[in-house]
Amino acid sequence: MAFLKRGQREGKARYFGLTGGWLTFWVSVACATDMTLFGYDQGVFGGVIVTQDFLDTLNLSGSEHTSLLGTVTALYDVGCFFGAVAAFSIGERLGRKKSILLGTTVMSIGAILQISAYSTAQMIVGRIVAGLGNGLNTATAPVWQAETSKAAWRGKLVVIELILNIAGFSLSNWITYGFSYVNGPVAWRFPLAFQFIFIFILYGTVPWLPESPRWLIAHGQIEEAEQIIADLEATSTDDAYVITESKEIQWAVTFEREHGVSWWDLLRGKTGSGKTSTIRRLILGAGAQAMQQLAGINVTSYYLPTVLIQSVGLDEKLARLLAACNSVSYLAFSMIGIPNVERWGRRKMMMYAATGQCLSYLLITILLRYNELAGYSGSKKVASASVAFFFTYYICFGIGFQGVPWLYPTEINSLSMRTKGAAIGTASNWAFNFMVVEITPIGIQSLHWKFYIIWTIFNASFVPIVYLFYPETADRTLEDVDRLFRENQNIFVFTDKDAISQKRPLAYIEHEQQEVRRNSSVISAHPEAMKNRLAAIERANREGSDEEKGAQEVEKV
């Protein structure tokens, strides 16, 4: 009890008295704010570029400037790409907190340049600078969240952050719609300035929150890391769990240093010893991120008002309103993925979503073909009908393709390659994001209804790709995934029941049970370990736990 009080006093001095769940909550607030800002920035420019005062001020009106307008929009993603890549070199030196504060500062500079722009050149610079900051932040925040959360909360918190990303996107649509009724520069400058609300929240939370214990241990600050683990668990540094957690992180850091593969070795095809399928796993993770962008989400995320105006023929106000309503539908249906990501599995969620997305784009293509058909009497009706399938596309994407491509690279890569796998996956996402956003305005203008055939074909191709090559990771430990790639060198996974099973394979369960029994017998031979084991049982009983919970506590020790 004395140790517990001492830990609480230390936590109080450090974090305004917050420990345990409340401390994790405030870390989650900071990370969620960062992802909400990410979503807001993705959506706000789609409403800005159809504002007449914006087009007139920057001399971007008229079809002759369509390509330049696409470039101004897409260069944000170039900044995000380089920001994400920089996060894995600069970020490792600065730490998670300082990286986010640096990214937020860079974003602030980019936002000011955009808000005050009176020329296309200044807007381009502002877009690139803001993208650099956002890329740095979005590559760091999920890692900081995962490294400061309990294992039982980790997955849910990351998925919730992705949903708040959609919430930010939805908010930007409603703000740009509301300000479309205002004349003058405020109609587009205020929506761009509104992102400072999120920036101020980040400045108000990140500085006083705990650094990642894993980053601290990797840089030799073990005592500080153990104190933070104790604060996050609302206990003292002498607690058996804190000591065990610290030792496990130290082991993981040592393992990564001994078995990690450098970027140069990867480029030369050298992936370390053993049949770890490193390149294959990197490609699968990056491929999931690439598929998310090639599904055509940013055809509509960035340009839905433009699509509805130019392809469907709606007026500006109605296009903005439907884009805002669509974002609410997108947000609502994305929540279905939270309870079902483990129940349905990664493979089925991606295949079902891709099927729905393909059908939606197919029907959009057919209906817009008749809308543009000269002399067709029902053109207005088919144009109106096509709007419904933009909604169904977002529903399918929100349920299955919004979260899984971000989760998959963190699950599929080995421990020593997880950071590099995340870097490649994030960079892949932003690279294809740029391509899609760059070609969309000119594609709509030049190809008309034929432009949507591209996204129909891409989505159709994802179903066999996932079925043939992507193993299931739901209901598996990360060690199970490592074992799968050691034992299965065949790139076609659909023939292996263990690779595609929705439930954890029995062979993996039996292997784990054997390891638990073996480790339990080893622990019993050590008096100090036995003392900790008894203390765990006693603690579980004091909390009113049954025998099963007490057994779970023993396994932790």
Side-chain angles (χ1 to χ4, degrees), residues 99-155:
S99 294
I100 291 175
L101 290 171
L102 174 61
T104 304
T105 302
V106 173
M107 283 193 78
S108 301
I109 296 169
I112 291 170
L113 289 170
Q114 292 178 77
I115 296 162
S116 61
Y118 280 93
S119 68
T120 303
Q122 182 176 335
M123 181 58 70
I124 286 174
V125 173
R127 295 286 290 168
I128 294 172
V129 172
L132 285 168
N134 186 58
L136 182 58
N137 276 9
T138 53
T140 306
V143 177
W144 187 35
Q145 176 76 84
E147 291 178 345
T148 54
S149 304
K150 292 183 179 180
W153 299 352
R154 195 170 297 149

Side-chain angles (χ1 to χ4, degrees), residues 253-301:
V253 169
T254 302
F255 181 89
E256 288 185 13
R257 285 173 179 165
E258 292 176 352
H259 299 275
V261 181
S262 68
W263 288 111
W264 176 241
D265 285 340
L266 277 177
L267 292 173
R268 293 187 297 168
K270 295 183 178 181
T271 58
S273 58
K275 297 179 179 180
T276 56
S277 302
T278 300
I279 296 294
R280 176 185 165 196
R281 294 162 82 169
L282 288 171
I283 291 172
L284 289 172
Q289 291 276 31
M291 284 192 290
Q292 187 188 56
Q293 292 304 316
L294 294 175
I297 182 60
N298 281 319
V299 171
T300 50
S301 288

Side-chain angles (χ1 to χ4, degrees), residues 66-75 77 293-294 296 298-299 302-303 310 431-448 451-452 454-455 458:
T66 300
S67 179
L68 178 58
L69 188 62
T71 301
V72 172
T73 306
L75 283 172
D77 299 310
Q293 292 304 316
L294 294 175
N298 281 319
V299 171
Y302 279 80
Y303 295 115
Q310 294 187 11
F432 283 100
N433 193 331
F434 168 76
M435 183 198 76
V436 172
V437 176
E438 173 71 18
I439 68 172
T440 293
I442 196 69
I444 293 172
Q445 184 182 14
S446 304
L447 300 176
H448 303 288
F451 181 66
Y452 302 99
I454 298 169
W455 316 111
F458 270 130

Side-chain angles (χ1 to χ4, degrees), residues 305-333:
T306 303
V307 168
L308 294 176
I309 292 168
Q310 294 187 11
S311 294
V312 182
L314 303 181
D315 64 76
E316 181 196 330
K317 292 290 191 296
L318 182 56
R320 288 178 183 270
L321 177 60
L322 285 173
C325 292
N326 181 61
S327 68
V328 175
S329 170
Y330 182 25
L331 174 62
F333 279 92

Side-chain angles (χ1 to χ4, degrees), residues 159-474:
V159 172
I160 288 170
E161 284 173 17
L162 291 168
I163 289 175
L164 286 170
N165 171 268
I166 303 172
F169 170 75
S170 178
L171 178 62
S172 70
N173 278 273
W174 283 105
I175 287 178
T176 52
Y177 171 66
F179 275 83
S180 68
Y181 289 91
V182 179
N183 295 321
V186 71
W188 61 275
R189 294 190 193 274
F190 181 87
L192 289 174
F194 189 83
Q195 61 189 289
F196 273 98
I197 296 293
F198 307 110
I199 289 171
F200 292 150
I201 293 173
L202 288 171
Y203 279 133
T205 54
V206 175
W208 61 269
L209 288 169
E211 180 55 89
S212 160
R214 189 192 180 284
W215 182 85
L216 290 169
I217 288 175
H219 289 77
Q221 302 178 47
I222 296 174
E223 289 186 8
E224 174 68 12
E226 290 179 346
Q227 182 60 62
I228 289 174
I229 295 170
D231 292 336
L232 290 167
E233 295 293 331
T235 185
S236 73
T237 55
D238 301 279
D239 187 270
Y241 175 81
V242 174
I243 296 170
T244 302
E245 185 75 2
S246 175
K247 296 296 183 186
E248 287 180 355
I249 296 172
Q250 290 176 55
W251 178 87
V253 169
T254 302
F255 181 89
E256 288 185 13
R257 285 173 179 165
E258 292 176 352
H259 299 275
V261 181
S262 68
W263 288 111
W264 176 241
D265 285 340
L266 277 177
L267 292 173
R268 293 187 297 168
K270 295 183 178 181
T271 58
S273 58
K275 297 179 179 180
T276 56
S277 302
T278 300
I279 296 294
R280 176 185 165 196
R281 294 162 82 169
L282 288 171
I283 291 172
L284 289 172
Q289 291 276 31
M291 284 192 290
Q292 187 188 56
Q293 292 304 316
L294 294 175
I297 182 60
N298 281 319
V299 171
T300 50
S301 288
Y302 279 80
Y303 295 115
L304 186 55
T306 303
V307 168
L308 294 176
I309 292 168
Q310 294 187 11
S311 294
V312 182
L314 303 181
D315 64 76
E316 181 196 330
K317 292 290 191 296
L318 182 56
R320 288 178 183 270
L321 177 60
L322 285 173
C325 292
N326 181 61
S327 68
V328 175
S329 170
Y330 182 25
L331 174 62
F333 279 92
S334 67
M335 294 183 184
I336 295 175
I338 297 176
N340 293 309
V341 68
E342 298 295 339
R343 186 182 308 166
W344 296 344
R346 316 296 190 252
R347 283 167 52 87
K348 284 185 178 178
M349 286 191 79
M350 287 196 287
M351 287 191 289
Y352 291 164
T355 301
Q357 291 159 200
C358 173
L359 292 175
S360 296
Y361 263 125
L362 177 62
L363 290 167
I364 288 169
T365 304
I366 293 170
L367 292 169
L368 291 182
R369 165 71 180 91
Y370 282 98
N371 177 48
E372 296 176 16
L373 189 65
Y376 182 68
S377 59
S379 61
K380 275 195 170 182
K381 291 181 180 179
V382 295
S384 299
S386 70
V387 174
F389 295 104
F390 283 104
F391 276 71
T392 59
Y393 171 82
Y394 267 96
I395 289 170
C396 295
F397 185 91
I399 293 173
F401 248 88
Q402 169 64 17
V404 173
W406 287 93
L407 283 173
Y408 204 82
T410 65
E411 296 175 320
I412 202 69
N413 288 295
S414 64
L415 177 66
S416 61
M417 293 302 299
R418 203 155 291 143
T419 300
K420 291 182 177 66
I424 293 172
T426 305
S428 170
N429 187 291
W430 286 117
F432 283 100
N433 193 331
F434 168 76
M435 183 198 76
V436 172
V437 176
E438 173 71 18
I439 68 172
T440 293
I442 196 69
I444 293 172
Q445 184 182 14
S446 304
L447 300 176
H448 303 288
W449 65 271
K450 296 176 184 176
F451 181 66
Y452 302 99
I453 296 175
I454 298 169
W455 316 111
T456 304
I457 293 171
F458 270 130
N459 280 288
S461 70
F462 297 157
V463 178
I465 287 172
V466 173
Y467 179 77
L468 293 172
F469 303 110
Y470 277 74
E472 184 58 70
T473 59

